[in-house]
Amino acid sequence: MTTRTEILASMRAKIADGRPIIGGGAGTGLSAKCSEEAGLDFIVVYNSGRYRMAGRSSMAGLMPYGDANQIVMDMGSEILPVVDHIPVVAGVCGTDPFRLMPKFLRDVRDAGFSGVQNYPTVCLFEGIIRANLEETGLGFYKEAEMIAEARSLDLFTASYVANLDEAVAMAEAGADVIVPHMGLTTSGMIGAQTALSLADSKIKVRELMEAAREVNPDVIIVCHGGPIASPTEAAEVIRDVPGVDGFLGASSMERLPTETAMIEHMSSYTRIALPVRAGQGA
């Protein structure tokens, strides 16, 4: 387990050296090992990682298909033992009404996680569903309370946000890293078809970054999701939105490259030609 102080010191040194902070979702132990070998700065264990690496949409992580917090703890038992030094962050459902959150966060820490991130998150809901969640004790404010509680336990904290109020709330809660979320990642076999354009994403990332830094000028900002689906788009956002410190990928780190590599590798076997045998053909 890497301490919050160690994580932040490493990140700030990289930023000062002109190198981006890169995080990745890990839905399997192999994804985690590859992340560490690639030199990522941290990995996040999301319940959605289990779904996407099982061929389902990452959106399944927002639906009632399982106990999100228990799934993450179970995944931690698979992932934590196979990495050596990379910080592992738990995706915690802060609105979970069946958890005493201070106790659960201590359990997360004791399991070996170095930090937490708010996922599943209601920041991805809009309209009447979002209004009803906020009105009935399942709102984003519960996620901000979870981040504040984790901060008091000296856990490293990263926070998804999708609007200005959320960016301010998470900065006020003391989040170490704020992650402007551009929606479900596009591309691949189970990626989003409906998403913001890359140009609109740049505008939104800038707005959320500026709102967070009005509260805390030192907060680290990494972008995520939507059309930011490859190193090319990530580099473009980092270049065109000064102040963005890096990128956090989930589907883009493990699902998309797995799809590409496996399809190409498997297809290469299907292209093997049988030799002509005696009595066959002319």
Side-chain angles (χ1 to χ4, degrees):
M1 177 177 173
T2 311
T3 69
R4 172 178 175 269
T5 299
E6 291 168 338
I7 295 170
L8 289 176
S10 175
M11 287 184 173
R12 297 199 184 284
K14 283 194 69 176
I15 293 168
D17 194 38
R19 294 178 293 152
I21 303 305
I22 305 296
T28 67
L30 182 59
S31 294
K33 290 176 73 69
C34 290
S35 298
E36 187 168 60
E37 183 68 20
L40 268 58
D41 297 290
F42 66 102
I43 55 176
V44 189
V45 178
Y46 303 106
N47 73 319
S48 60
R50 170 160 292 179
Y51 296 116
R52 69 172 153 265
M53 297 309 283
R56 278 75 173 184
S57 166
S58 295
M59 294 297 285
L62 299 174
M63 299 298 287
Y65 305 141
D67 180 340
N69 284 328
Q70 187 56 54
I71 288 171
V72 165
M73 294 298 278
D74 292 343
M75 292 172 70
S77 297
E78 173 188 347
I79 290 168
L80 287 161
V82 300
V83 295
D84 295 321
H85 58 269
I86 190 170
V88 183
V89 175
V92 172
C93 181
T95 62
D96 187 343
F98 297 97
R99 293 292 193 286
L100 293 172
M101 196 50 62
K103 178 184 182 302
F104 181 66
L105 290 174
R106 290 193 294 272
D107 292 341
V108 167
R109 180 189 61 190
D110 293 345
F113 288 100
S114 296
V116 300
Q117 183 167 3
N118 59 321
Y119 191 89
T121 172
V122 301
C123 84
L124 298 178
F125 290 91
E126 298 177 349
I128 193 168
I129 292 179
R130 175 64 180 272
N132 289 165
L133 288 169
E134 297 290 344
E135 293 161 356
T136 57
L138 302 173
F140 190 82
Y141 71 94
K142 296 291 291 185
E143 298 180 24
E145 289 176 358
M146 182 273 290
I147 291 295
E149 181 67 29
R151 180 72 178 77
S152 74
L153 295 172
D154 205 31
L155 286 164
F156 170 75
T157 53
S159 300
Y160 278 135
V161 300
N163 65 42
L164 298 178
D165 290 340
E166 293 164 359
V168 170
M170 283 303 189
E172 290 177 342
D176 298 308
V177 175
I178 286 183
V179 188
H181 200 310
M182 298 298 106
L184 182 65
T185 299
T186 59
S187 302
M189 293 187 289
I190 52 175
Q193 302 300 311
T194 303
L196 292 173
S197 68
L198 190 61
D200 287 340
S201 293
K202 293 175 190 177
I203 293 170
K204 188 173 182 180
V205 168
R206 179 180 290 107
E207 291 173 345
L208 297 177
M209 175 183 69
E210 290 173 350
R213 287 199 171 134
E214 281 289 319
V215 177
N216 178 9
D218 296 325
V219 69
I220 295 169
I221 305 291
V222 299
C223 56
H224 171 86
I228 316 172
S230 77
T232 300
E233 291 90 23
E236 185 173 333
V237 173
I238 292 169
R239 181 196 69 204
D240 292 349
V241 187
V244 172
D245 299 308
F247 172 71
L248 169 61
S251 292
S252 56
M253 288 292 186
E254 57 177 0
R255 175 178 64 81
L256 293 177
T258 298
E259 289 178 11
T260 301
M262 289 184 70
I263 291 170
E264 175 56 31
H265 183 71
M266 292 176 183
S267 296
S268 67
Y269 287 98
T270 71
R271 294 190 290 269
I272 296 173
L274 291 176
V276 177
R277 298 171 184 172
Q280 283 185 334

